[in-house]
Amino acid sequence: MLTALPLERRAVRRLLEGLERVDQAGTVFERGRLPGTSWTVYLAATGPGNDSAAVITERAINFVRPQAVFFVGIAGSLKPDVSPGDVVVASEVYAYHGGKESTGGFKGRPRSWETTHHLQQVAMHVDSVDDWRGRLPEMERDTTQVHFKPIAAGDLVLDAPAGSPSRVLLDQNFNDAVAVEMEGAGFANAATKAGVPFLLVRGISDMANGTKQSTDGAGLQEAGAQHAALFLAEVIAQFKPANADLRPKLGASGQPSDELIWQPLDQPASVAWYRDIVPSSAYTSGPSLLEVHLAPVLMTSRVTATRMRELADELVSLGRASGFFSNTEHVEVHDGAEMTVASVVGRHGRSAGLAITRSGQRSAWEALPQPGLAFVLDEEHTQERITALLSLLEAVEVPTASAYAPAVGIEKPMMVMIGRLSTIDPNRATLSHRGDTPVRIDPDEAVTAAMLVGRTSELAQELTVRLILAFRGSSH
């Protein structure tokens, strides 16, 4: 559970027991139990602002590897029927300050993130059962309302009357947002990239209309923080993980285990291999390729068709920024409804590509090095490249699954040999593989999305060893 302000943190602390301090990379966490549940809760304050919230959220996820992350605190109301003391559960978070200013005027470029569907459903259940109100002060039980609406997160404290530039911007472009604050966008962005279920809950403390000083003086900040914390505590109490088998393991000290945990799947995850992504590849000559895929497990939402179309340019930009595609190469783009692909095919065995499917699969491939007659599967080089490809795929901004089943393979393996690039004679090739059937490691085990982010190199090492063993076995 993350908060921004000290008063918000105090509201949460009052609900936990057995608190103990646990520091990580300079950030002070507190670990305690939520009474009446089996949950261990880690609590930290991010400080105000989206940038700080994003950094601390990522740090918390890498440290704790949680089953879910929550941000709780206060916010200003944007609607007359959302009053101080009410609770807002964010269905979506808007980053409303993005845009471009030119001679043609200001053109908004906002971003948004939907909070996790399952957690929204739990929150709706808590609201309908209504037991949580019994913990509110008696006079506030009937007047406190819960709203499931979008929240806008910006980079300023908004306390201005209707007609001010910021209020006009919000009203014209984010009219369904009912509350405004300063941390939700950074939090949602970090949680989405890490693939951890997340929810944002805010208690209304003021109307964001120029009266904030008087409402703060009346104690409405404390009331809003308390209401939000009480509601969220009940959500956590009612939360049942969608995939309990993939929950991070804790060591004897209660700390998350440092081991990369592979969870067997009942059956291999469905994966689109290179030949499925580029069908003509099975019938044309070309280089031997290393392919890496992240097949989603327990995906809660598909990539929208609109987002698939946007990803075409983003994959090209990501590839160029990382050096995966050079600035001089022509990148072919296919942005179909079910798959978006960006790839290059050049001279001297150059071939590389990135792909995203609507199911959320992330894929990358590139040619193996060819110092002479044969392509070379070098263990050290392959591990480095799988690490780089996984990091590249993690950077793609699409809905994230709770866990992924990694899959690797060698396409067109006939001209591939195992060896060290530094010692191979480029004019001689001793091939160990006689057929041209792809060598593949089926995705029959999964790792959590949080582990995928924090242990990319370790994951790449394991995948490399499995791939080399499979390659050797297929040559006999």
Side-chain angles (χ1 to χ4, degrees):
M1 296 174 73
L2 300 172
T3 70
L5 304 177
L7 70 92
E8 298 167 335
R9 184 172 186 158
R10 287 193 294 270
V12 175
R13 290 185 88 254
R14 287 192 288 266
L15 304 179
L16 303 176
E17 63 183 14
L19 284 168
E20 58 179 332
R21 176 172 165 173
V22 185
D23 291 13
Q24 173 67 17
T27 299
V28 176
F29 290 84
E30 291 180 282
R31 181 176 63 220
R33 306 291 297 181
L34 185 63
T37 77
S38 61
W39 288 112
T40 297
V41 176
Y42 285 75
L43 173 63
T46 67
N50 284 304
D51 289 344
S52 179
V55 170
I56 301 302
T57 300
E58 181 178 18
R59 182 171 297 169
I61 290 171
N62 288 336
F63 172 47
V64 179
R65 278 171 260 143
Q67 187 66 32
V69 288
F70 304 92
F71 207 104
V72 61
I74 57 176
S77 172
L78 296 174
K79 303 294 183 182
D81 59 343
V82 180
S83 305
D86 283 0
V87 174
V88 179
V89 179
S91 57
E92 192 169 2
V93 182
Y94 298 137
Y96 67 88
H97 271 141
K100 178 181 179 182
E101 187 78 43
S102 65
T103 56
F106 178 80
K107 296 181 180 179
R109 293 181 175 179
R111 299 177 63 192
S112 66
W113 300 266
E114 290 186 7
T115 58
T116 302
H117 172 72
H118 177 57
L119 291 176
Q120 287 187 43
Q121 290 286 302
V122 176
M124 290 179 183
H125 171 74
V126 169
D127 180 46
S128 64
V129 173
D130 226 18
D131 289 342
W132 76 281
R133 292 181 187 274
R135 303 186 67 182
L136 291 174
E138 187 173 355
M139 295 184 62
E140 299 170 4
R141 294 173 186 172
D142 293 332
T143 58
T144 301
Q145 302 298 315
V146 180
H147 309 268
F148 294 84
K149 293 287 186 179
I151 287 178
D155 296 316
L156 54 81
V157 177
L158 182 61
D159 185 30
S164 66
S166 292
R167 293 295 293 248
V168 171
L169 171 69
L170 287 166
D171 185 58
Q172 290 182 348
N173 299 285
F174 306 92
N175 188 256
D176 57 343
V178 302
V180 60
E181 41 96 317
M182 297 176 59
E183 295 80 31
F187 163 73
N189 189 12
T192 298
K193 286 182 176 178
V196 179
F198 69 100
L199 193 66
L200 179 69
V201 177
R202 293 287 188 175
I204 299 299
S205 62
D206 60 86
M207 298 303 294
N209 62 359
T211 62
K212 179 175 174 58
Q213 185 174 0
S214 61
T215 54
D216 288 356
L220 294 184
Q221 280 191 325
E222 288 78 5
Q226 180 190 38
H227 293 186
L230 287 170
F231 182 85
L232 181 54
E234 186 62 21
V235 171
I236 295 174
Q238 297 295 327
F239 173 47
K240 297 179 180 179
N243 188 359
D245 289 340
L246 292 174
R247 290 180 61 182
K249 301 293 190 296
L250 297 179
S253 66
Q255 295 278 11
S257 168
D258 289 333
E259 181 185 358
L260 177 63
I261 300 170
W262 293 80
Q263 296 290 346
L265 301 175
D266 292 337
Q267 58 184 12
S270 176
V271 61
W273 293 92
Y274 173 78
R275 291 194 182 193
D276 304 312
I277 298 170
V278 188
S280 62
S281 64
Y283 310 103
T284 60
S285 61
S288 299
L289 301 175
L290 170 67
E291 54 180 310
V292 178
H293 310 275
L294 293 175
V297 178
L298 295 177
M299 192 71 174
T300 57
S301 62
R302 286 165 58 86
V303 184
T304 64
T306 300
R307 182 67 183 132
M308 291 294 291
R309 186 168 58 185
E310 295 171 347
L311 280 168
D313 290 337
E314 292 183 22
L315 290 180
V316 176
S317 298
L318 178 63
R320 292 201 193 282
S322 64
F324 188 65
F325 303 141
S326 76
N327 290 328
T328 59
E329 286 179 315
H330 172 67
V331 182
E332 294 284 347
V333 174
H334 171 72
D335 56 348
E338 295 299 319
M339 185 181 302
T340 295
V341 182
S343 62
V344 298
V345 177
R347 298 178 180 179
H348 310 298
R350 168 66 174 155
S351 181
L354 297 171
I356 303 293
T357 70
R358 280 206 68 196
S359 68
Q361 177 180 316
R362 306 162 186 234
S363 301
W365 61 88
E366 64 179 12
L368 289 169
Q370 186 183 26
L373 298 175
F375 295 90
V376 178
L377 186 61
D378 176 296
E379 182 170 344
E380 182 177 350
H381 176 271
T382 301
Q383 181 179 334
E384 290 177 355
R385 294 313 303 157
I386 292 179
T387 299
L389 295 178
L390 288 173
S391 298
L392 194 60
L393 295 178
E394 290 166 14
V396 182
E397 295 186 7
V398 293
T400 310
S402 300
Y404 285 92
V408 292
I410 301 293
E411 171 70 19
K412 299 186 177 71
M414 180 177 289
M415 294 296 294
V416 175
M417 63 178 294
I418 295 177
R420 298 191 64 177
L421 285 167
S422 59
T423 61
I424 285 179
D425 183 346
N427 298 312
R428 300 180 64 184
T430 304
L431 304 181
S432 59
H433 191 88
R434 300 183 180 181
D436 209 23
T437 302
V439 175
R440 295 169 176 172
I441 304 300
D442 287 329
D444 57 3
E445 291 182 285
V447 296
T448 63
M451 283 189 175
L452 180 65
V453 172
R455 287 172 166 73
T456 304
S457 180
E458 186 180 348
L459 176 62
Q461 180 181 23
E462 175 67 16
L463 292 174
T464 300
V465 173
R466 293 185 185 188
L467 182 61
I468 289 176
L469 291 174
F471 184 90
R472 285 174 172 157
S474 65
S475 64
H476 299 293

